Amino acid sequence: MSVLATIALVVVGFAGTSGSGSAEGSGKPKPRPRSTAVYPVKFPGWDRPRARPTPTVSYPIPWDRSH
């Protein structure tokens, strides 16, 4: 059990000291978030009327099928 606890402590220790792309030690300022949205939001073709769907069957459907 103590072996597993030691391995867990080593893994946590290495995970906390990894320098994976951190800008803190490099002296460069971190980029500030900025908005890239364009308002009002428009979707392609939203001002054109939509085409009405065509029916796939012809009506009336004969429901009396006893013949």
Side-chain angles (χ1 to χ4, degrees):
M1 187 70 164
S2 64
V3 173
L4 292 176
T6 305
I7 292 173
L9 286 174
V10 169
V11 169
V12 170
F14 280 126
T17 61
S18 67
S20 59
S22 176
E24 290 181 28
S26 64
K28 296 179 183 177
K30 292 183 180 179
R32 303 287 300 169
R34 59 186 170 116
S35 176
T36 58
V38 177
Y39 294 101
V41 177
K42 293 186 179 181
F43 297 97
W46 78 330
D47 53 347
R48 287 182 280 151
R50 291 184 53 168
R52 297 201 46 107
T54 56
T56 57
V57 296
S58 61
Y59 292 96
I61 297 174
W63 292 106
D64 184 21
R65 299 192 182 192
S66 62
H67 297 142

Coordinates of all heavy atoms in Angstrom, one line a residue:
M1 N 0.8 -1.2 0.0 CA 0.0 0.0 0.0 C 0.9 1.3 0.0 O 0.5 2.2 -0.6 CB -0.9 0.0 1.2 CG -1.9 1.0 1.2 SD -3.1 0.7 -0.1 CE -4.4 1.8 0.4
S2 N 2.0 1.2 0.7 CA 2.8 2.4 0.8 C 3.5 2.6 -0.5 O 3.9 3.7 -0.9 CB 3.9 2.2 1.9 OG 4.7 1.1 1.7
V3 N 3.8 1.5 -1.3 CA 4.4 1.7 -2.6 C 3.4 2.4 -3.6 O 3.8 3.3 -4.3 CB 4.7 0.3 -3.2 CG1 5.2 0.4 -4.6 CG2 5.7 -0.4 -2.4
L4 N 2.1 2.1 -3.5 CA 1.2 2.8 -4.3 C 1.1 4.3 -3.9 O 0.9 5.2 -4.8 CB -0.2 2.1 -4.2 CG -0.3 0.8 -4.9 CD1 -1.7 0.2 -4.7 CD2 0.0 0.8 -6.4
A5 N 1.1 4.6 -2.6 CA 1.0 5.9 -2.1 C 2.3 6.7 -2.6 O 2.2 7.9 -3.0 CB 0.9 6.0 -0.6
T6 N 3.4 6.1 -2.6 CA 4.7 6.8 -3.1 C 4.6 7.1 -4.5 O 5.0 8.1 -5.0 CB 5.9 5.9 -2.7 OG1 5.9 5.6 -1.3 CG2 7.2 6.6 -3.1
I7 N 4.1 6.1 -5.3 CA 4.0 6.3 -6.8 C 3.0 7.4 -7.0 O 3.2 8.3 -7.9 CB 3.5 5.0 -7.5 CG1 4.7 4.0 -7.4 CG2 3.1 5.3 -8.9 CD1 4.3 2.6 -7.9
A8 N 1.9 7.5 -6.3 CA 0.9 8.6 -6.5 C 1.5 9.9 -6.1 O 1.3 10.9 -6.9 CB -0.3 8.3 -5.6
L9 N 2.3 10.0 -5.1 CA 2.9 11.3 -4.7 C 3.9 11.7 -5.8 O 4.0 12.9 -6.1 CB 3.6 11.2 -3.4 CG 2.7 11.1 -2.2 CD1 3.5 10.9 -0.9 CD2 1.9 12.4 -2.0
V10 N 4.7 10.8 -6.4 CA 5.6 11.1 -7.4 C 4.9 11.6 -8.7 O 5.3 12.6 -9.3 CB 6.5 9.9 -7.8 CG1 7.3 10.1 -9.0 CG2 7.4 9.5 -6.6
V11 N 3.8 11.0 -9.0 CA 3.0 11.4 -10.2 C 2.5 12.8 -10.0 O 2.5 13.6 -10.9 CB 1.9 10.4 -10.5 CG1 0.9 10.9 -11.5 CG2 2.5 9.1 -11.0
V12 N 1.9 13.0 -8.8 CA 1.4 14.4 -8.5 C 2.5 15.4 -8.5 O 2.3 16.5 -9.0 CB 0.6 14.3 -7.2 CG1 0.2 15.7 -6.7 CG2 -0.7 13.5 -7.3
G13 N 3.6 15.1 -8.0 CA 4.8 16.0 -8.0 C 5.2 16.4 -9.3 O 5.5 17.5 -9.6
F14 N 5.4 15.4 -10.2 CA 5.8 15.6 -11.6 C 4.7 16.4 -12.4 O 5.1 17.2 -13.2 CB 6.2 14.4 -12.3 CG 7.5 13.8 -12.0 CD1 7.7 12.6 -11.5 CD2 8.6 14.7 -12.1 CE1 9.0 12.1 -11.2 CE2 9.9 14.2 -11.8 CZ 10.1 12.9 -11.4
A15 N 3.5 16.1 -12.1 CA 2.4 16.8 -12.8 C 2.4 18.3 -12.5 O 2.0 19.2 -13.3 CB 1.0 16.2 -12.5
G16 N 2.7 18.6 -11.2 CA 2.7 20.0 -10.8 C 3.9 20.8 -11.3 O 3.8 22.0 -11.4
T17 N 5.0 20.2 -11.6 CA 6.2 20.9 -12.0 C 6.5 20.8 -13.5 O 7.5 21.3 -13.9 CB 7.4 20.3 -11.3 OG1 7.6 18.9 -11.6 CG2 7.3 20.5 -9.8
S18 N 5.6 20.3 -14.3 CA 5.8 20.2 -15.7 C 5.7 21.6 -16.3 O 4.8 22.4 -16.0 CB 4.9 19.3 -16.4 OG 3.6 19.8 -16.3
G19 N 6.6 22.0 -17.2 CA 6.6 23.3 -17.9 C 6.1 23.2 -19.3 O 6.7 23.5 -20.2
S20 N 4.9 22.8 -19.4 CA 4.3 22.5 -20.7 C 3.7 23.8 -21.3 O 2.5 24.1 -21.2 CB 3.2 21.5 -20.6 OG 2.2 21.8 -19.7
G21 N 4.5 24.7 -21.8 CA 4.0 25.9 -22.5 C 3.5 27.0 -21.6 O 2.8 27.8 -22.0
S22 N 4.0 27.0 -20.4 CA 3.6 28.1 -19.5 C 4.3 29.4 -19.8 O 5.5 29.4 -20.0 CB 3.9 27.7 -18.0 OG 3.6 28.7 -17.2
A23 N 3.6 30.5 -19.9 CA 4.2 31.8 -20.2 C 4.6 32.5 -19.0 O 5.1 33.6 -19.1 CB 3.2 32.6 -21.0
E24 N 4.5 31.9 -17.8 CA 4.9 32.6 -16.6 C 6.4 32.9 -16.5 O 6.8 34.0 -16.1 CB 4.4 31.9 -15.4 CG 2.9 31.9 -15.2 CD 2.5 31.1 -14.0 OE1 3.3 31.1 -13.0 OE2 1.4 30.6 -14.0
G25 N 7.2 31.9 -16.8 CA 8.7 32.1 -16.7 C 9.3 32.7 -17.9 O 10.5 33.1 -17.8
S26 N 8.6 32.9 -19.0 CA 9.3 33.4 -20.2 C 9.3 35.0 -20.2 O 10.0 35.5 -21.0 CB 8.5 32.9 -21.4 OG 7.2 33.4 -21.4
G27 N 8.6 35.7 -19.4 CA 8.6 37.1 -19.3 C 7.7 37.7 -20.3 O 7.5 38.9 -20.4
K28 N 7.0 36.9 -21.2 CA 6.1 37.5 -22.1 C 4.7 37.6 -21.5 O 4.3 36.8 -20.7 CB 5.9 36.5 -23.3 CG 7.2 36.4 -24.1 CD 7.0 35.4 -25.3 CE 8.3 35.2 -26.0 NZ 8.1 34.2 -27.1
P29 N 4.0 38.7 -21.8 CA 2.6 38.8 -21.2 C 1.7 37.9 -21.9 O 1.8 37.5 -23.0 CB 2.3 40.3 -21.5 CG 3.1 40.7 -22.7 CD 4.4 39.9 -22.5
K30 N 0.7 37.4 -21.1 CA -0.3 36.5 -21.6 C -1.3 37.3 -22.5 O -1.6 38.5 -22.3 CB -1.1 35.9 -20.5 CG -0.3 34.9 -19.7 CD -1.1 34.3 -18.6 CE -0.3 33.3 -17.8 NZ -1.1 32.7 -16.7
P31 N -1.7 36.7 -23.6 CA -2.7 37.4 -24.5 C -4.0 37.6 -23.8 O -4.5 36.8 -23.0 CB -2.8 36.5 -25.7 CG -2.4 35.1 -25.2 CD -1.4 35.4 -24.1
R32 N -4.6 38.8 -24.0 CA -5.9 39.1 -23.4 C -7.0 38.6 -24.3 O -6.9 38.6 -25.5 CB -6.0 40.6 -23.3 CG -4.9 41.3 -22.5 CD -5.0 41.0 -21.0 NE -6.3 41.5 -20.5 CZ -6.7 41.3 -19.3 NH1 -6.0 40.5 -18.5 NH2 -7.9 41.8 -18.9
P33 N -8.1 38.1 -23.7 CA -9.2 37.6 -24.5 C -9.9 38.8 -25.1 O -10.0 39.9 -24.6 CB -10.1 37.0 -23.4 CG -9.7 37.5 -22.1 CD -8.3 37.9 -22.2
R34 N -10.4 38.6 -26.4 CA -11.1 39.7 -27.1 C -12.2 39.1 -27.8 O -12.2 37.9 -28.2 CB -10.1 40.4 -28.0 CG -9.5 39.6 -29.1 CD -8.5 40.3 -29.8 NE -7.7 39.4 -30.7 CZ -7.7 39.5 -32.0 NH1 -8.4 40.4 -32.6 NH2 -7.1 38.6 -32.7
S35 N -13.2 39.8 -28.1 CA -14.4 39.4 -28.8 C -14.2 39.3 -30.3 O -13.6 40.2 -30.9 CB -15.6 40.3 -28.5 OG -16.7 39.9 -29.2
T36 N -14.6 38.2 -30.9 CA -14.5 38.0 -32.3 C -15.9 37.9 -32.9 O -16.0 37.6 -34.1 CB -13.7 36.8 -32.7 OG1 -14.3 35.6 -32.0 CG2 -12.3 36.9 -32.2
A37 N -17.0 38.2 -32.2 CA -18.3 38.0 -32.7 C -18.7 39.3 -33.5 O -18.2 40.4 -33.3 CB -19.3 37.9 -31.5
V38 N -19.6 39.0 -34.5 CA -20.1 40.1 -35.3 C -21.6 40.1 -35.1 O -22.3 39.1 -35.3 CB -19.8 39.8 -36.8 CG1 -20.4 40.9 -37.7 CG2 -18.3 39.7 -37.0
Y39 N -22.1 41.3 -34.7 CA -23.5 41.4 -34.4 C -24.1 42.4 -35.4 O -23.5 43.3 -35.8 CB -23.8 41.9 -33.0 CG -23.3 40.9 -32.0 CD1 -22.1 41.1 -31.3 CD2 -24.1 39.8 -31.6 CE1 -21.7 40.1 -30.4 CE2 -23.7 38.9 -30.7 CZ -22.5 39.1 -30.1 OH -22.1 38.2 -29.1
P40 N -25.4 42.2 -35.9 CA -26.3 41.1 -35.6 C -25.9 39.8 -36.3 O -25.3 39.9 -37.4 CB -27.6 41.6 -36.0 CG -27.3 42.6 -37.1 CD -26.0 43.2 -36.7
V41 N -26.2 38.7 -35.7 CA -25.8 37.4 -36.3 C -26.8 37.2 -37.5 O -28.0 37.3 -37.3 CB -25.9 36.3 -35.3 CG1 -25.7 35.0 -35.9 CG2 -25.0 36.6 -34.1
K42 N -26.2 36.9 -38.6 CA -27.1 36.6 -39.8 C -26.7 35.2 -40.3 O -25.5 34.8 -40.4 CB -26.8 37.6 -40.9 CG -27.3 39.0 -40.5 CD -27.2 39.9 -41.7 CE -27.8 41.3 -41.2 NZ -27.7 42.3 -42.3
F43 N -27.7 34.4 -40.8 CA -27.5 33.1 -41.3 C -27.7 33.2 -42.8 O -28.5 34.0 -43.3 CB -28.5 32.1 -40.7 CG -28.2 31.9 -39.2 CD1 -29.0 32.6 -38.3 CD2 -27.2 31.1 -38.8 CE1 -28.8 32.5 -37.0 CE2 -27.0 31.0 -37.4 CZ -27.8 31.6 -36.5
P44 N -27.0 32.4 -43.6 CA -27.2 32.5 -45.1 C -28.6 32.2 -45.5 O -29.2 31.2 -45.1 CB -26.2 31.4 -45.6 CG -25.4 30.9 -44.5 CD -26.0 31.4 -43.2
G45 N -29.2 33.0 -46.3 CA -30.5 32.8 -46.9 C -31.6 33.1 -45.9 O -32.8 32.7 -46.1
W46 N -31.4 33.8 -44.8 CA -32.5 34.0 -43.8 C -33.5 35.0 -44.2 O -34.6 35.1 -43.7 CB -31.9 34.3 -42.4 CG -31.4 35.7 -42.2 CD1 -30.9 36.5 -43.1 CD2 -31.5 36.4 -41.0 NE1 -30.6 37.7 -42.6 CE2 -30.9 37.6 -41.2 CE3 -31.9 36.1 -39.7 CZ2 -30.8 38.6 -40.2 CZ3 -31.7 37.0 -38.7 CH2 -31.2 38.3 -39.0
D47 N -33.1 35.8 -45.2 CA -34.1 36.8 -45.7 C -34.9 36.4 -46.9 O -35.8 37.0 -47.3 CB -33.3 38.1 -46.0 CG -32.2 37.9 -47.0 OD1 -31.8 36.7 -47.2 OD2 -31.7 38.9 -47.5
R48 N -34.5 35.2 -47.4 CA -35.3 34.6 -48.6 C -36.4 33.7 -48.0 O -36.2 33.1 -47.0 CB -34.4 33.8 -49.5 CG -33.4 34.6 -50.3 CD -32.6 33.8 -51.2 NE -31.5 33.2 -50.3 CZ -30.9 32.1 -50.5 NH1 -31.3 31.3 -51.5 NH2 -30.0 31.7 -49.7
P49 N -37.6 33.7 -48.7 CA -38.6 32.8 -48.2 C -38.2 31.3 -48.5 O -37.5 31.0 -49.5 CB -39.8 33.2 -49.1 CG -39.3 33.9 -50.3 CD -38.0 34.5 -49.8
R50 N -38.6 30.5 -47.6 CA -38.3 29.1 -47.7 C -39.2 28.4 -48.7 O -40.4 28.7 -48.8 CB -38.5 28.4 -46.3 CG -37.4 28.9 -45.3 CD -37.5 28.2 -44.0 NE -37.5 26.7 -44.3 CZ -37.4 25.8 -43.3 NH1 -37.2 26.2 -42.1 NH2 -37.4 24.5 -43.6
A51 N -38.6 27.4 -49.4 CA -39.4 26.7 -50.4 C -40.3 25.7 -49.6 O -39.9 25.1 -48.7 CB -38.5 25.9 -51.3
R52 N -41.6 25.7 -50.1 CA -42.5 24.7 -49.5 C -42.2 23.3 -49.9 O -41.9 23.1 -51.1 CB -43.9 25.1 -49.9 CG -44.2 26.5 -49.3 CD -45.7 26.8 -49.2 NE -46.5 25.8 -48.6 CZ -46.9 25.9 -47.3 NH1 -46.7 27.0 -46.6 NH2 -47.7 25.0 -46.8
P53 N -42.3 22.4 -49.0 CA -42.0 21.0 -49.3 C -43.1 20.4 -50.2 O -44.2 20.8 -50.1 CB -41.9 20.3 -48.0 CG -42.7 21.1 -47.1 CD -42.6 22.5 -47.6
T54 N -42.7 19.5 -51.1 CA -43.6 18.9 -52.0 C -44.1 17.5 -51.4 O -43.2 16.8 -50.8 CB -43.0 18.6 -53.4 OG1 -41.8 17.8 -53.2 CG2 -42.6 19.9 -54.1
P55 N -45.3 17.2 -51.4 CA -45.8 16.0 -50.8 C -45.3 14.8 -51.5 O -45.1 14.8 -52.8 CB -47.3 16.1 -50.9 CG -47.6 17.1 -52.0 CD -46.4 18.0 -52.0
T56 N -45.0 13.7 -50.8 CA -44.5 12.5 -51.4 C -45.6 11.5 -51.9 O -45.3 10.6 -52.6 CB -43.6 11.8 -50.4 OG1 -44.3 11.5 -49.2 CG2 -42.4 12.6 -50.1
V57 N -46.8 11.8 -51.5 CA -47.9 10.9 -51.9 C -49.0 11.8 -52.4 O -49.0 13.0 -52.2 CB -48.5 10.1 -50.7 CG1 -47.5 9.1 -50.2 CG2 -49.0 11.0 -49.6
S58 N -49.9 11.2 -53.2 CA -51.0 12.0 -53.7 C -52.2 11.7 -52.9 O -52.4 10.5 -52.5 CB -51.3 11.7 -55.2 OG -51.6 10.3 -55.3
Y59 N -53.0 12.7 -52.6 CA -54.2 12.5 -51.8 C -55.4 12.6 -52.6 O -55.4 13.2 -53.7 CB -54.2 13.6 -50.7 CG -53.2 13.5 -49.7 CD1 -52.0 14.2 -49.8 CD2 -53.3 12.6 -48.6 CE1 -51.0 14.0 -48.9 CE2 -52.3 12.4 -47.7 CZ -51.1 13.2 -47.8 OH -50.1 13.0 -46.9
P60 N -56.5 12.0 -52.3 CA -56.8 11.2 -51.1 C -56.3 9.8 -51.2 O -56.3 9.2 -52.3 CB -58.3 11.3 -51.0 CG -58.8 11.4 -52.4 CD -57.8 12.2 -53.1
I61 N -55.9 9.3 -50.1 CA -55.5 7.9 -50.0 C -56.7 7.0 -49.9 O -57.5 7.2 -48.9 CB -54.5 7.6 -48.9 CG1 -53.2 8.5 -49.1 CG2 -54.1 6.2 -48.7 CD1 -52.3 8.4 -47.9
P62 N -56.9 6.0 -50.7 CA -58.1 5.2 -50.5 C -57.9 4.2 -49.3 O -57.1 3.3 -49.3 CB -58.1 4.4 -51.8 CG -56.8 4.4 -52.4 CD -56.1 5.6 -51.9
W63 N -58.7 4.5 -48.3 CA -58.6 3.7 -47.0 C -59.4 2.4 -47.1 O -59.2 1.5 -46.3 CB -59.0 4.6 -45.9 CG -58.1 5.7 -45.6 CD1 -58.3 7.0 -45.9 CD2 -56.7 5.6 -45.1 NE1 -57.2 7.7 -45.6 CE2 -56.2 6.9 -45.1 CE3 -55.9 4.5 -44.7 CZ2 -54.9 7.1 -44.7 CZ3 -54.7 4.8 -44.3 CH2 -54.2 6.1 -44.2
D64 N -60.4 2.3 -48.0 CA -61.2 1.1 -48.1 C -60.4 0.1 -48.9 O -60.5 0.1 -50.1 CB -62.5 1.4 -48.7 CG -63.4 0.2 -48.7 OD1 -63.2 -0.7 -47.9 OD2 -64.4 0.2 -49.5
R65 N -59.7 -0.8 -48.2 CA -58.9 -1.7 -48.9 C -59.4 -3.2 -48.8 O -58.7 -4.1 -48.9 CB -57.4 -1.7 -48.3 CG -56.9 -0.3 -48.5 CD -55.5 -0.2 -48.3 NE -55.1 1.2 -48.4 CZ -53.8 1.5 -48.5 NH1 -52.9 0.7 -48.3 NH2 -53.5 2.8 -48.6
S66 N -60.7 -3.3 -48.6 CA -61.3 -4.6 -48.5 C -61.5 -5.3 -49.8 O -61.8 -6.5 -49.9 CB -62.6 -4.5 -47.7 OG -63.5 -3.7 -48.5
H67 N -61.3 -4.6 -50.9 CA -61.5 -5.3 -52.2 C -60.3 -5.9 -52.8 O -59.2 -5.7 -52.7 CB -62.0 -4.2 -53.2 CG -63.3 -3.6 -52.8 ND1 -63.5 -2.3 -53.0 CD2 -64.4 -4.1 -52.3 CE1 -64.7 -2.0 -52.6 NE2 -65.3 -3.1 -52.1

